[in-house]
Amino acid sequence: MTIRNRDFSKPRRQPVAWSIAGSDNSGGAGIQADNKSFAAFAVYGCNIIAAVTAQNSQAVADVLAMPPAQIRSQWQTLVDEYRADAIKLGMLANAAVIDSLLALLPQLDVPVVCDPVLIASNGGSLMESSQSYHKLLPQVDVLTPNEAEFRALFGFNCQTPQQLAEAALTVAAQYHLDLVITGGECLLDDRQAADCCVIGGELFWMHSPRRATRHSHGTGCSFSSALAAALALGYSRYEACVLAKAYINQGLALPDVFGLDVCAFQHTGFPQRLDCLPAISRAYPQAHYVFPRCDSLQLGLYPVVDSLDWLQRCLAEGVKTIQLRLKNLPLAEVDSQVAQAAALGRQYQARLFINDYWQLAIKHQAYGVHLGQEDVLDADLAAIAAAGLHLGISTHSWFEIAVAHSLQPSYIAIGPVYATTTKVMPFAPQGLEQLGQWLQLIGDAYPVVAIGGIDASNAADVLATGAGSIAMVRAITEAADYRQAIAAMRRLTGEAQA
């Protein structure tokens, strides 16, 4: 699975997202919640009011659906001046409203997120018939029902998480859409708010502890609008799911953090707390592993080399963190080189990480193993943890950072910070601003290794973001004098004095 991240290098106008939903006069759900979510992500929000409701966090007193002519008029005024980058559909009230949208949605080729609001969290009915939503599904890119709405829409009687997962895969394939079944109501497990997700035909779960709160009114609306805002910003659907889940977790946690007696769910912004990031797993329940901690958050200079010769050269110059990345060699030769590398690592008392070949790293008792996101799916993480190996994981996006954090690795690598020529990357450069945002999120939970296009010209700028380590490939192996290059970088990272 390759997840292309947002390209931060391209200037963009302020994104626009539309909410087509019901108005909640109490401000907790519907259009009002959507606008707060859009604003929290610095997305400009526009509205097409499909219905006016009289409600609060306790009950829905009245619903008045807008006539189709009014829906069309609102649409036309927005198309003329505020063209959408994403659309969120919420409470649509009746079949006539849906029929009017069926003729309008094909006019715009933008992601459409649909939260099929059938029953409000306060118990009120908000839709004449759940079957009316079926006509919309060919126009929908991401559907975000809760568990009860999923059952009502598609008739599944799921009694276990595994049955829910099978039903989700069936629906996503049948209707050619992505699906997030939100678990805030947790009919299957009252310990976790576990969301069952199918994105691009691949299933995963997002796990977060359930939070006992009276402020859940509007969280379904806010989740789907946060997801739409992230899509409008250019994030992938994987990232949008994680950002939306973290947004809800952070808002639910806010009253407890500050001791506030708040009126309703609190709208915050991009994740700022690591404990609000959801855990990601491919199966339910989530597996847990224990990997050893590195002895420092500051791993310093981290060369990535492709031969024993370069490994020994770097170790002899005092490098204490290094990775051996062997490519396109017969397995027998790789086995021999990993054995020699592990011995060198012990000799120099270095943190030697073996890239990819986790079985050989275990066999030869290396310090650790470094895995990319694809390799994490295939590796026997339980065996790596049982062998006592340190684990480093590559990340390139919000989703991948959530995956890494779920596994509690020994360090997290983030990149590419800059464009790199060492290999073809499916990921856009992140830049210093995004690196700094992720470093603030991670804090001192893990050592962070910045990687990608880092050399003598920009290493100081990267370290100024707070990164405790910089990975280098060509800046060492292609240097005119590798000894001088290593010495200069070790001084810069604070590992050695001149």
Side-chain angles (χ1 to χ4, degrees):
M1 174 179 63
T2 297
I3 304 167
R4 295 184 183 273
N5 60 354
R6 178 186 170 195
D7 188 346
F8 289 87
S9 64
K10 297 180 179 178
R12 304 177 75 241
R13 65 172 177 83
Q14 182 182 14
V16 174
W18 294 2
S19 170
I20 307 175
S23 172
D24 173 8
N25 62 303
S26 73
I31 289 281
Q32 286 81 353
D34 295 343
N35 286 341
K36 293 172 186 176
S37 299
F38 294 157
F41 285 92
V43 170
Y44 188 84
C46 295
N47 305 145
I48 295 177
I49 298 176
V52 176
T53 71
Q55 65 173 292
N56 57 29
S57 63
Q58 304 302 311
V60 178
D62 197 10
V63 176
L64 174 65
M66 292 293 101
Q70 175 59 226
I71 301 293
R72 290 192 292 271
S73 294
Q74 293 181 73
W75 177 284
Q76 196 57 49
T77 57
L78 295 183
V79 165
D80 290 343
E81 191 172 355
Y82 302 97
R83 203 163 184 85
D85 295 293
I87 296 174
K88 178 263 172 83
L89 305 178
M91 195 272 281
L92 303 177
N94 59 33
V97 172
I98 288 177
D99 287 341
S100 64
L101 291 176
L102 288 175
L104 296 171
L105 288 171
Q107 295 179 15
L108 295 178
D109 183 19
V110 299
V112 175
V113 179
C114 179
D115 179 28
V117 181
L118 308 177
I119 302 173
S121 56
N122 56 30
S125 176
L126 295 173
M127 186 68 195
E128 290 179 356
S129 170
S130 63
Q131 295 306 306
S132 299
Y133 270 102
H134 279 254
K135 295 185 290 184
L136 265 180
L137 295 183
Q139 306 291 339
V140 170
D141 295 291
V142 186
L143 186 68
T144 65
N146 61 34
E147 292 173 10
E149 289 164 342
F150 180 75
R151 289 177 170 86
L153 280 170
F154 302 108
F156 289 98
N157 183 26
C158 305
Q159 300 298 315
T160 67
Q162 289 70 32
Q163 290 174 350
L164 185 66
E166 291 172 3
L169 285 166
T170 298
V171 168
Q174 179 178 350
Y175 292 96
H176 306 287
L177 49 73
D178 290 337
L179 179 64
V180 181
I181 305 173
T182 59
E185 284 70 25
C186 277
L187 303 184
L188 299 180
D189 186 344
D190 60 4
R191 299 164 299 172
Q192 290 192 5
D195 302 339
C196 181
C197 309
V198 181
I199 305 295
E202 297 187 82
L203 185 136
F204 62 93
W205 293 83
M206 295 193 295
H207 308 262
S208 295
R210 277 182 61 80
R211 297 182 184 274
T213 176
R214 62 185 176 87
H215 302 301
S216 62
H217 181 53
T219 49
C221 301
S222 301
F223 176 88
S224 56
S225 53
L227 199 157
L231 293 177
L233 286 165
Y235 289 97
S236 72
R237 295 183 191 179
Y238 290 91
E239 289 183 277
C241 288
V242 164
L243 286 167
K245 180 73 167 180
Y247 182 76
I248 297 302
N249 290 342
Q250 193 163 264
L252 291 173
L254 190 63
D256 295 334
V257 172
F258 294 103
L260 298 176
D261 183 13
V262 297
C263 296
F265 172 76
Q266 296 296 293
H267 294 261
T268 55
F270 275 90
Q272 297 175 334
R273 295 179 48 185
L274 193 58
D275 65 335
C276 290
L277 211 60
I280 307 294
S281 71
R282 299 292 165 179
Y284 192 100
Q286 176 193 3
H288 294 280
Y289 310 98
V290 178
F291 297 100
R293 303 289 89 191
C294 292
D295 54 4
S296 174
L297 291 173
Q298 309 298 316
L299 300 184
L301 175 62
Y302 187 163
V304 179
V305 299
D306 61 2
S307 70
L308 286 174
D309 181 45
W310 273 112
L311 177 68
Q312 186 156 20
R313 288 185 190 182
C314 291
L315 292 175
E317 295 303 314
V319 168
K320 290 302 180 185
T321 307
I322 193 165
Q323 180 184 142
L324 179 63
R325 180 189 291 170
L326 300 173
K327 300 293 183 183
N328 304 317
L329 294 176
L331 185 57
E333 187 173 344
V334 174
D335 190 326
S336 173
Q337 292 203 26
V338 170
Q340 295 176 68
L344 285 169
R346 289 189 291 272
Q347 176 186 337
Y348 285 95
Q349 297 182 319
R351 309 178 192 97
L352 168 68
F353 290 89
I354 303 299
N355 183 275
D356 291 354
Y357 292 100
W358 58 268
Q359 299 99 324
L360 298 179
I362 292 174
K363 176 181 176 181
H364 299 295
Q365 300 179 316
Y367 176 86
V369 61
H370 179 90
L371 299 177
Q373 292 280 322
E374 294 286 349
D375 303 306
V376 165
L377 297 177
D378 299 327
D380 187 339
L381 298 175
I384 296 171
L389 267 64
H390 295 71
L391 175 65
I393 298 179
S394 293
T395 66
H396 313 83
S397 66
W398 286 99
F399 180 85
E400 293 186 351
I401 287 175
V403 170
H405 178 49
S406 307
L407 299 174
Q408 301 282 295
S410 308
Y411 75 79
I412 292 177
I414 295 178
V417 180
Y418 303 106
T420 177
T421 60
T422 55
K423 62 178 179 178
V424 177
M425 295 291 290
F427 308 100
Q430 296 300 291
L432 296 178
E433 183 178 354
Q434 179 61 85
L435 175 63
Q437 185 181 25
W438 283 334
L439 284 166
Q440 288 183 359
L441 177 78
I442 294 170
D444 60 0
Y446 307 100
V448 171
V449 178
I451 188 170
I454 303 172
D455 56 27
S457 69
N458 54 37
D461 294 333
V462 175
L463 290 168
T465 66
S469 179
I470 48 175
M472 291 184 165
V473 184
R474 58 180 174 82
I476 300 297
T477 59
E478 296 180 11
D481 187 326
Y482 77 89
R483 290 187 175 91
Q484 287 186 3
I486 289 174
M489 288 301 105
R490 293 191 68 220
R491 287 195 299 271
L492 196 60
T493 58
E495 293 181 82
Q497 300 299 316

